């Protein structure tokens, strides 16, 4: 997934471009800093059932990285976002 921005909600992590004209959303439920992913919404709006996980990583008590992986009968996908410290 190509992105330059990430949004985190209670049941979703969305990766996309700053314009948000296209995005990929990993959907599921959080337990601590880990989200069990049960579906992915693709940029075309189609939602696919998957098995996967997203993890939020922290450094010095600040979010540093968001990493998601998922697999389905259609294939696998991954999205990673590293927070800029500039």
């Amino acid at each position: 997934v190509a992105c330059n921005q990430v949004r985190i909600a209670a049941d979703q992590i969305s990766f996309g471009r700053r314009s948000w004209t296209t995005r990929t959303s990993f959907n599921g439920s959080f337990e601590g800093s880990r989200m069990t992913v049960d579906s992915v919404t693709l940029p075309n709006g189609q939602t696919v059932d998957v098995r996967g996980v997203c993890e939020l990583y922290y450094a010095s008590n600040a979010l540093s990285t968001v990493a998601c992986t998922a697999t389905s009968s259609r294939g696998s996908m991954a999205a990673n976002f590293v927070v800029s410290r500039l």
Side-chain angles (χ1 to χ4, degrees):
V1 175
C3 68
N4 60 13
Q5 192 169 26
V6 65
R7 291 183 184 168
I8 301 168
D11 61 352
Q12 184 179 78
I13 298 176
S14 297
F15 296 84
R17 300 273 181 202
R18 291 202 195 287
S19 65
W20 289 98
T21 55
T22 62
R23 68 172 176 244
T24 300
S25 298
F26 290 75
N27 313 301
S29 56
F30 271 101
E31 186 171 322
S33 62
R34 178 179 288 241
M35 183 175 79
T36 300
V37 178
D38 53 35
S39 67
V40 172
T41 304
L42 303 172
N44 66 5
Q46 179 183 11
T47 298
V48 179
D49 290 332
V50 300
R51 287 182 304 141
V53 66
C54 291
E55 187 79 38
L56 306 179
Y57 295 94
Y58 295 86
S60 301
N61 294 322
L63 183 65
S64 64
T65 306
V66 179
C68 294
T69 58
T71 187
S72 75
S73 60
R74 300 179 61 189
S76 299
M77 62 189 71
N80 296 299
F81 184 84
V82 177
V83 177
S84 174
R85 298 288 181 224
L86 298 177

